[in-house]
Amino acid sequence: MKNKKTGLLVGTSVLIMSCNLSSKQYEIHGNLANDVDSTIVYLHEISPTDPNLSIAIDSIEVKNNQFIFTGQKEVPSIGYINFKNQEVKFPLFIENGKNMINLDLDDPVAFTLTGTVNNEQLDQLRKSINLYKHNQLIFRRDNQSTYLAALQTNDTEELHRIMEEFNKLKKQEETVLDKYFSINNNTLTSLNYLYNNYKDNPKYKELLAIVYKNLSENDKKSNIAQLSKTVIDQK
């Protein structure tokens, strides 16, 4: 009986140690749909002082169409993955925990990201926005010839109808985003989107300040929070 108790205690200790290890390091597992073995994949972190600069913090060779990055991060940071001789960037949060990213270099928009809360939220928001952008793109394509014909004949009624329909699609996207930021008003995912789009929407700068204020003290140390603070402090 004594041995059984000892075994249980040892097993519990191993489990606790395993949990502690996983919470103190990041793992980014990548799976590719393409046959790109021996290609170099890079993990970049955005500069906290200049969004146009990034630092390659790791690189590895793809084997069996897979790769894995491991390391430690005291503070979450926004970054991206890219491949040698490829311009496409796949955004993600680099933070302690286990994440999985599934990629298809022939269809880069369709990548999926699962794992930590920030990356789950980042993936869901990106997919939601892409859906509305796709619908707008389809509308433009389907109405292009009609719009050009109305433009040539100066058919203001038809031009107005087309613009009204398109603006409805834009409004749907704005409504969904407004609701998202209202619910998720203290997350790095919201902050990241608002920071990257505040120049296109005047109200986003005000929202940026609200989300930043609601962040945890640890999240305020992240690169995207530091970049946002610079914008918020501008008069």
Side-chain angles (χ1 to χ4, degrees), residues 85-232:
N85 300 324
Q86 295 277 344
E87 294 184 3
V88 180
K89 300 176 181 178
F90 301 93
L92 79 169
F93 281 101
I94 308 168
E95 59 182 346
N96 292 338
K98 186 175 181 179
N99 291 287
M100 183 77 69
I101 182 167
N102 296 306
L103 307 166
D104 184 346
L105 297 180
D106 294 328
D107 187 11
V109 177
F111 79 94
T112 60
L113 181 63
T114 57
T116 59
V117 173
N118 281 326
N119 278 321
E120 292 273 359
Q121 291 179 343
L122 184 67
D123 189 68
Q124 292 168 8
L125 179 59
R126 178 183 59 83
K127 288 177 178 176
S128 177
I129 293 170
N130 283 346
L131 176 62
Y132 285 98
K133 297 298 184 187
H134 176 74
N135 291 339
Q136 292 167 27
L137 185 64
I138 294 298
F139 181 86
R140 285 178 180 272
R141 184 198 66 187
D142 292 346
N143 289 273
Q144 183 179 18
S145 58
T146 304
Y147 179 81
L148 291 175
L151 202 60
Q152 288 182 340
T153 59
N154 197 27
D155 188 341
T156 55
E157 184 176 340
E158 183 67 0
L159 290 171
H160 179 73
R161 182 193 67 79
I162 293 173
M163 290 305 301
E164 282 288 304
E165 291 296 321
F166 182 75
N167 287 334
K168 284 181 182 178
L169 293 176
K170 290 286 292 181
K171 187 63 178 178
Q172 289 174 4
E173 179 186 0
E174 291 176 9
T175 301
V176 168
L177 284 172
D178 287 344
K179 183 178 180 180
Y180 181 88
F181 298 134
S182 175
I183 297 172
N184 302 279
N185 63 0
N186 62 348
T187 68
L188 288 177
T189 299
S190 293
L191 193 78
N192 181 63
Y193 183 88
L194 292 168
Y195 173 78
N196 286 300
N197 294 277
Y198 78 92
K199 291 181 180 179
D200 300 324
N201 192 325
K203 68 180 179 182
Y204 280 178
K205 187 173 180 179
E206 181 179 343
L207 285 172
L208 189 70
I210 294 172
V211 174
Y212 176 85
K213 182 180 179 181
N214 292 336
L215 291 178
S216 69
E217 290 305 312
N218 193 57
D219 283 348
K220 285 181 179 178
K221 299 175 185 176
S222 66
N223 55 354
I224 190 61
Q226 292 180 60
L227 289 167
S228 298
K229 186 64 164 58
T230 301
V231 171
I232 294 168

Side-chain angles (χ1 to χ4, degrees), residues 20-34:
N20 287 340
L21 284 173
S22 64
S23 66
K24 292 182 179 178
Q25 70 175 18
Y26 63 80
E27 295 181 10
I28 303 170
H29 297 257
N31 295 304
L32 285 114
N34 318 82

